[in-house]
């Protein structure tokens, strides 16, 4: 999914400049408001910046998943810590977007057509990587076969939690075989056996320090992802109330249901039995 620099792009004779390296001419030409409203530029910039941050999250979490699979947990921790910082940027962006008033948004909304954040391929890829597998979401991209291909590949890959459970097993903990060999294209279902493994880790953090830290990094990842979702919910509620979303979703009620989706269930339920 990572975009590479165009090898055919002209390089200044003296080497890259700040503008040429960052391709600022192209980047700053990407904001093209469809209305004459003042706030549409903010709306575009926030969403474009969020897509760039999500690109970095996917880059880091994909590499972290590989590192976990190779038992290079310290390397994975660094990448996951970076994602936590990026998530703070994403969470904070809602406060800026919320400065758009209902009247301001209504003035531009008609120009947005059926476009919606629901159609963000990178957001869906992040959810798949985190473990919220839902093949039906790929149909949203029927008009973009190349994006569907990327998402089918993401659906077929183990989630970062799948790799964490395999790391538990390699460390000698009795992760149930049906969890280790499950169909990774399907949503993850909580397991009492997996919870018992995490309970062992939390009961003896000195013995299982790396696995204990892995668990806490995953909890932090989910915590911030949920704050991001909640910020989205409250911003939409503040700007459009309970109107339907531009992409045909139910708007606030849909976003409220999404918040109930949990990525790493046993890492939450184990806290009640420690």
């Amino acid at each position: 999914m990572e975009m590479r620099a165009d090898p055919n792009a002209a390089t200044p004779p003296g080497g890259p400049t700040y503008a040429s390296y960052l391709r600022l001419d192209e980047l700053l030409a990407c904001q093209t408001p469809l209305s004459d409203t003042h706030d549409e530029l903010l709306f575009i910039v926030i969403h474009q910046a969020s897509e760039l941050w999500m690109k970095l999250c996917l880059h880091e979490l994909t590499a972290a998943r590989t590192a976990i699979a190779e038992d290079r947990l310290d390397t994975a921790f660094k990448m996951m810590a970076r994602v936590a910082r990026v998530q703070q940027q994403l969470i904070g962006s809602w406060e800026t977007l919320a400065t758009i008033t209902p009247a301001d948004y209504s003035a531009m909304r008609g120009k947005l057509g059926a476009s919606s954040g629901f159609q963000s391929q990178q957001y869906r890829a992040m959810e798949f990587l985190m473990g919220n597998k839902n093949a039906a979401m790929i149909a949203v991209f029927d008009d973009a076969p190349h994006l569907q291909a990327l998402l089918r590949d993401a659906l077929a890959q183990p989630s970062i939690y799948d790799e964490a459970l395999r790391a538990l097993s390699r460390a000698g903990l009795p992760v149930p075989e049906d969890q280790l060999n499950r169909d990774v294209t399907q949503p993850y279902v909580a397991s009492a056996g997996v919870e018992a493994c995490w309970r062992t880790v939390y009961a003896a953090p000195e013995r299982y320090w790396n696995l204990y830290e892995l668990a806490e990094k995953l909890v932090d990842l989910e915590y911030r992802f949920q704050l991001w979702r909640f910020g989205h919910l409250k911003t939409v509620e503040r700007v459009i109330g309970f109107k339907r979303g531009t992409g045909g979703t139910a708007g606030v009620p849909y976003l409220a249901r999404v918040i109930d989706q949990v990525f790493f269930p046993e890492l939450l339920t184990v806290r009640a039995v420690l």
Side-chain angles (χ1 to χ4, degrees):
M1 296 180 192
E2 186 172 351
M3 298 291 290
R4 297 291 182 181
D6 181 359
N8 299 314
T11 300
T17 65
Y18 178 79
S20 69
Y21 178 68
L22 296 178
R23 301 176 68 175
L24 289 183
D25 286 345
E26 295 140 283
L27 179 64
L28 298 179
C30 289
Q31 297 75 47
T32 52
L34 299 177
S35 72
D36 58 1
T37 58
H38 176 79
D39 286 358
E40 191 178 355
L41 181 61
L42 167 62
F43 188 81
I44 293 171
V45 167
I46 288 288
H47 286 85
Q48 288 184 343
S50 294
E51 289 291 334
L52 288 172
W53 284 127
M54 281 191 281
K55 180 176 181 176
L56 182 56
C57 285
L58 285 167
H59 174 72
E60 298 292 342
L61 289 176
T62 300
R65 179 179 61 190
T66 298
I68 294 168
E70 297 172 353
D71 289 321
R72 296 183 292 111
L73 296 186
D74 286 347
T75 300
F77 297 157
K78 177 182 177 181
M79 295 163 177
M80 295 169 78
R82 179 175 292 165
V83 170
R85 298 295 186 182
V86 173
Q87 287 178 303
Q88 285 302 116
Q89 299 294 324
L90 286 164
I91 294 165
S93 70
W94 296 125
E95 293 190 13
T96 305
L97 190 63
T99 63
I100 297 178
T101 67
D104 296 331
Y105 182 68
S106 294
M108 75 175 82
R109 191 181 191 197
K111 297 292 186 179
L112 302 180
S115 64
S116 165
F118 192 70
Q119 300 156 351
S120 169
Q121 173 264 333
Q122 291 197 122
Y123 174 79
R124 197 59 57 193
M126 273 190 69
E127 289 227 323
F128 284 2
L129 200 160
M130 295 269 286
N132 185 21
K133 302 291 185 76
N134 184 351
M137 292 295 99
I138 297 176
V140 172
F141 304 90
D142 279 344
D143 60 344
H146 65 295
L147 297 183
Q148 285 193 321
L150 290 172
L151 286 175
R152 287 194 187 97
D153 180 65
L155 186 73
Q157 298 298 318
S159 72
I160 196 168
Y161 195 52
D162 288 320
E163 293 297 355
L165 298 187
R166 293 170 186 175
L168 284 177
S169 178
R170 289 192 298 273
L173 292 161
V175 179
E177 284 295 323
D178 61 340
Q179 295 298 90
L180 295 174
N181 300 313
R182 75 182 195 88
D183 180 354
V184 298
T185 67
Q186 298 302 307
Y188 180 80
V189 177
S191 159
V194 168
E195 183 186 282
C197 290
W198 286 122
R199 184 175 183 178
T200 298
V201 170
Y202 274 88
E206 299 84 2
R207 179 180 177 185
Y208 299 105
W209 182 256
N210 273 352
L211 294 175
Y212 177 78
E213 189 169 356
L214 174 60
E216 286 299 290
K217 284 287 191 291
L218 289 169
V219 169
D220 193 47
L221 182 62
E222 171 149 346
Y223 169 71
R224 294 173 196 275
F225 204 100
Q226 295 289 31
L227 287 180
W228 181 28
R229 284 172 162 175
F230 184 73
H232 188 190
L233 163 67
K234 300 308 288 185
T235 300
V236 171
E237 184 180 76
R238 174 173 175 163
V239 175
I240 70 169
F242 290 88
K243 293 179 182 176
R244 292 190 65 81
T246 52
T249 70
V252 168
Y254 167 78
L255 295 174
R257 290 196 301 274
V258 168
I259 289 176
D260 291 333
Q261 296 171 350
V262 176
F263 296 109
F264 318 129
E266 296 91 352
L267 291 177
L268 301 180
T269 58
V270 74
R271 284 156 161 73
V273 297
L274 292 177

